[in-house]
Amino acid sequence: MQLINGTEIATQVIEECKRDIAALAAAGKVPGLAVVLVGDDPASRAYVRSKDRKCKELGLHSVKLELPATTTQDELLQVVRDLNNDPAIHGILVQSPPPKHIDEAAIVRAIDPAKDVDGFHPINVAKLAIEDSSGFVPCTPLGCQRLLIAAGVETSGANVVVVGRSMIVGKPMAMLLMAKGKGGDATVTVAHSRTKDLAAICQRADIIIAAIGRPEFITAEHVREGAVVIDVGINRVEAPGTEKGYKLVGDVKFDEVAPKCRAITPVPGGVGPMTIAMLMSNTIKACRQASA
Ligand code: GUN
């Protein structure tokens, strides 16, 4: 069993980013990323902080906006418009999910597609579907694809089951894997909460992408001997007696699934670090395309 080390592979991506940033700096350009958080969800706050920290570490221009939970739709739209018009900002990310009174789809549509480093804007969703490489692909599925490539997992012709149909992971993951080329050319099945006989469908998979957002949902019965499993889940579950009072578990019951796998990602240290690395990479791409 091969443990796919996301921390190590993310470090390689970050090293590539550093080279790209140095080349841009030589041309007098500094990529800028704005991360907007509305409200005070602790997990979201932690993600936003780590994105900001990674930007600073790389020498990117980073703007972190932490807005109160009472921020109105109009106020948030204005923040997005201001960032659209700010030439020092090449990437804009509004942390999901926002508070319930915010219409998230309308906010996403307000982001300039050329600055939409999350790849959530309809223009970028369409570009992924038509395989136009000038678009932005959501960071988490992009990171999963990169993990498969770096771990030497052949996707061409492989049966891949994506468990989860979210706009952030499941749907773009399926499109990436079925696209032509490296890390693609797969035969993709998308399963979700309404899927009948999920275990039987997963049993046919050479590769399982677990992105259903339920702690330890994928168990040994879902996985055939020799499969590759990518665990996208980051679930906080109570852990009394620990310092934080919680621990992080994936969507996969690691202890019983790992022994059956050819390769598997751990949680933490699998997909998580890749997401931030791909965000940095998308921000550099946005900067490059802005000045092309
Ligand atoms: N919430 C969880 N993952 C993401 C992500 O990739 N982007 C944004 N904006 N919000 C998220």
Side-chain angles (χ1 to χ4, degrees), residues 24 31-32 89-92 113-117 134 136 280-292:
L24 284 166
I89 295 297
H90 304 95
I92 303 170
K115 297 191 178 190
D116 171 39
V117 286
S134 74
F136 293 98
M280 300 300 121
S281 169
N282 275 354
T283 303
I284 291 165
K285 175 177 172 176
C287 176
R288 214 186 267 132
Q289 291 187 167
S291 45

Side-chain angles (χ1 to χ4, degrees), residues 36-39 66-81 94 98-104 106-108 110:
V36 183
L37 172 66
V38 185
E66 294 186 283
L67 309 176
T70 51
T71 304
T72 66
Q73 180 80 11
D74 283 346
E75 286 166 342
L76 185 54
L77 280 173
Q78 195 53 53
V79 167
V80 168
R81 285 191 206 109
V94 180
K100 289 208 169 30
H101 67 276
I102 297 289
D103 175 358
E104 187 176 14
I107 300 298
V108 166

Side-chain angles (χ1 to χ4, degrees), residues 47 51 93-97 118 120 139-140 168 275:
Y47 293 142
K51 288 164 187 167
L93 179 150
V94 180
Q95 185 66 31
S96 180
D118 257 331
F120 296 169
C139 302
T140 301
I168 297 185
T275 298

